[in-house]
Amino acid sequence: MTEPTHDPELHSRRASSFGEEAAAYAEHRPDYPRAALAWALEGVAHPAKDALDLAAGTGKLTQGLVELGVSVTAVEPDPGMLAELTRLLPDVTALLGKAEEIPLPDASVDAVFIGQALHWFDLEPAFAEIARVLRPGGIVLPLWNHDDVSVSWVAEFSAIVRSGVSQAWASGERTLDTPPGFAPFEENRFNHAQRRTVDSLLATVSTHSHLLVAEPAERDRVLTAAREYLLSNPATGNGEFDLPLLTTAFRARRL
């Protein structure tokens, strides 16, 4: 898998930018459609009992897995995000760790879920670690929520606040090569939505990494333009509305 040309220092800053905004991230980021998580578990060659939410953030995906009845371990590299996850989901085993050094024993889980995070990983060592902790016949599932730009107002809004980093993985601009030890990835998409207001949607946008690391003047410019657009748009300017989303999921089975 070849990464596009990028600034490594900026990439690192963006990857580590979320912790100070952990509470806002937990409040405003969307969850994941249950259908996508169920589709992932259907790919396991045996009944799935144990799942790992890798780079779990504040537990948006973890919560969905708990509701599906699997035993979940959450691993997250940022202490602030992990503390928020533990506060929200005190019964979930939550460990500080990163994808390239997963703090779990060999062959200890049936499924590894990666929500909105694979683009931050060093892919070769991360997939080696994922293969190590998966039982044979288990699955890895990277997935991303992204704006449904087939809706005209969403496309216009997305252009105003474009973040780019995760969007490329979820929009057909990138493909996932088959990691060693896995069957080829299958891809699926799921309709999703999040109930929003102008203020709450802007709060969501404010948790995107490109704005978290932006200069204050640039951040203010983008958010001001976004607010003006949303208030002037009949679909969004009169109270609550649904933000149309798509969830793109890639599923690969451990051989």
Side-chain angles (χ1 to χ4, degrees):
M1 304 174 197
T2 302
E3 285 291 315
T5 301
H6 71 291
D7 180 338
E9 190 274 335
L10 178 59
H11 185 84
S12 177
R13 285 174 56 212
R14 290 181 67 166
S16 61
S17 64
F18 301 108
E20 292 184 3
E21 298 295 331
Y25 192 104
E27 180 178 359
H28 297 295
R29 285 293 184 106
D31 62 0
Y32 296 88
R34 299 296 177 268
L37 308 187
W39 175 76
L41 295 172
E42 289 168 4
V44 180
H46 49 268
K49 299 181 296 181
D50 304 299
L52 166 62
D53 185 359
L54 185 57
T58 61
K60 289 290 183 177
L61 196 156
T62 308
Q63 178 65 54
L65 292 171
V66 169
E67 292 171 0
L68 286 177
V70 294
S71 176
V72 187
T73 298
V75 170
E76 164 59 36
D78 187 285
M81 300 287 273
L82 191 69
E84 187 67 15
L85 185 152
T86 300
R87 184 184 71 81
L88 295 170
L89 300 169
D91 295 329
V92 169
T93 299
L95 304 175
L96 193 66
K98 59 183 183 177
E100 299 80 10
E101 297 179 32
I102 300 172
L104 292 180
D106 295 356
S108 56
V109 297
D110 303 301
V112 176
F113 289 80
I114 306 162
Q116 222 77 16
L118 185 70
H119 48 279
W120 302 123
F121 293 178
D122 186 349
L123 293 177
E124 184 174 346
F127 273 117
E129 277 290 273
I130 290 166
R132 180 184 66 78
V133 302
L134 273 174
R135 296 169 183 141
I139 62 96
V140 59
L141 187 96
L143 71 169
W144 289 266
N145 286 321
H146 53 106
D147 296 340
D148 184 354
V149 294
S150 69
V151 179
S152 59
W153 78 259
V154 177
E156 292 179 36
F157 179 74
S158 181
I160 294 171
V161 298
R162 182 170 297 278
S163 63
V165 173
S166 63
Q167 190 78 8
W169 289 90
S171 64
E173 298 173 26
R174 297 295 303 272
T175 59
L176 286 175
D177 296 336
T178 304
F182 288 86
F185 277 101
E186 305 168 78
E187 182 179 352
N188 206 346
R189 290 197 173 196
F190 301 85
N191 290 312
H192 195 31
Q194 186 183 26
R195 196 68 176 164
R196 299 278 76 185
T197 64
V198 170
D199 285 341
S200 66
L201 180 51
L202 292 176
T204 302
V205 170
S206 296
T207 68
H208 292 175
S209 62
H210 73 295
L211 286 181
L212 290 174
V213 302
E215 293 296 329
E218 174 66 8
R219 177 185 173 92
D220 290 346
R221 183 194 65 77
V222 171
L223 293 176
T224 297
R227 179 177 293 279
E228 290 174 353
Y229 176 77
L230 292 173
L231 290 173
S232 66
N233 179 16
T236 57
N238 299 302
E240 290 190 343
F241 55 89
D242 283 335
L243 172 64
L245 300 169
L246 290 174
T247 301
T248 298
F250 296 89
R251 180 178 72 185
R253 182 180 291 179
R254 175 81 165 92
L255 299 176

